[in-house]
């Protein structure tokens, strides 16, 4: 399984031979942080042909749609990467003994290291990640349940019967 696909990469990478392209071309399941900050919307967009394992999502932001080869829906696992400061208002906060900043960005809130400017976790919880996918990619309830609940269970060899829901 590829974790945090598209994250933890240098700002500049070779345009063809890089971890994101290699990950998308692999047969491994992948986890993504769908908070709208870790991966820009064009990276999350995928194409679905009728009766296949791909989702078609119209591009509302530009006339040229960037389409990535995607994983079948059963191979996508959504994670939040929520930092302990997720849900706190914008400003400086202490997280794991270090100061981080919760900042408003174009599509939501981010947790950033003030020294490097890099992400230091997500300010979004799972519900917000699911809402982002629902609004921006038009995933329906069944699809959201699959990528946010059933797929993660399957990856760790559990079923819904193994989980006690509150």
């Amino acid at each position: 399984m590829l974790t945090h696909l598209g994250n933890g990469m240098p700002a500049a990478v070779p345009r063809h031979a890089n971890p994101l392209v290699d990950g998308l071309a692999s047969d491994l399941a992948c986890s993504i942080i769908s908070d709208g900050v870790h991966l820009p919307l064009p990276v999350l967009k995928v194409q679905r042909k009728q009766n296949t394992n791909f989702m078609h999502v119209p591009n509302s932001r530009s006339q040229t749609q960037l389409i990535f080869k995607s994983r079948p829906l059963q191979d996508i696992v959504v994670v939040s990467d929520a930092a302990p400061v997720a849900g706190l208002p914008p400003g400086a906060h202490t997280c794991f003994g270090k100061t981080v900043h919760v900042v408003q960005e174009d599509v939501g809130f981010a947790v950033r290291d003030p020294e490097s400017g890099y992400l230091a976790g997500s300010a979004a919880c799972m519900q917000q990640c699911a809402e982002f996918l629902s609004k921006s990619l038009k995933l329906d309830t069944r699809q959201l349940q699959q990528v946010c609940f059933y797929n993660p269970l399957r990856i760790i060899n559990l079923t819904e019967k193994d989980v006690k829901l509150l």
Side-chain angles (χ1 to χ4, degrees):
M1 176 170 177
L2 303 168
T3 65
H4 296 62
L5 184 62
N7 298 118
M9 295 172 38
V13 296
R15 66 179 182 202
H16 299 298
N18 65 63
L20 181 58
V21 170
D22 290 345
L24 290 170
S26 80
D27 291 330
L28 297 172
C30 63
S31 71
I32 59 170
I33 303 167
S34 63
D35 61 359
V37 175
H38 277 79
L39 295 173
L41 187 56
V43 175
L44 292 174
K45 288 182 182 254
V46 291
Q47 183 172 351
R48 176 180 213 144
K49 296 177 183 172
Q50 195 170 24
N51 298 323
T52 69
N53 289 326
F54 295 93
M55 295 176 292
H56 174 265
V57 181
N59 185 349
S60 61
R61 293 195 176 191
S62 71
Q63 293 180 351
T64 305
Q65 187 174 18
L66 179 59
I67 305 293
F68 278 82
K69 175 189 178 290
S70 181
R71 320 299 314 132
L73 196 61
Q74 66 266 16
D75 287 347
I76 298 173
V77 173
V78 173
V79 297
S80 70
D81 202 33
V85 296
L88 294 180
H93 302 280
T94 301
C95 182
F96 300 120
K98 185 172 182 175
T99 299
V100 295
H101 290 169
V102 174
V103 294
Q104 174 74 51
E105 299 202 349
D106 291 341
V107 294
F109 291 95
V111 180
R112 295 205 176 266
D113 178 319
E115 295 173 18
S116 68
Y118 290 133
L119 290 168
S122 177
C125 297
M126 281 299 292
Q127 180 175 344
Q128 293 160 314
C129 290
E131 288 170 355
F132 180 78
L133 291 174
S134 175
K135 289 177 186 172
S136 61
L137 298 183
K138 308 298 184 222
L139 295 188
D140 62 32
T141 301
R142 183 194 59 77
Q143 293 168 318
L144 290 170
Q145 288 171 337
Q146 183 172 353
V147 297
C148 295
F149 183 71
Y150 295 111
N151 289 352
L153 286 178
R154 192 185 74 254
I155 294 292
I156 59 173
N157 295 315
L158 294 175
T159 68
E160 62 185 291
K161 294 174 185 172
D162 299 316
V163 179
K164 181 179 178 183
L165 300 176
L166 300 176

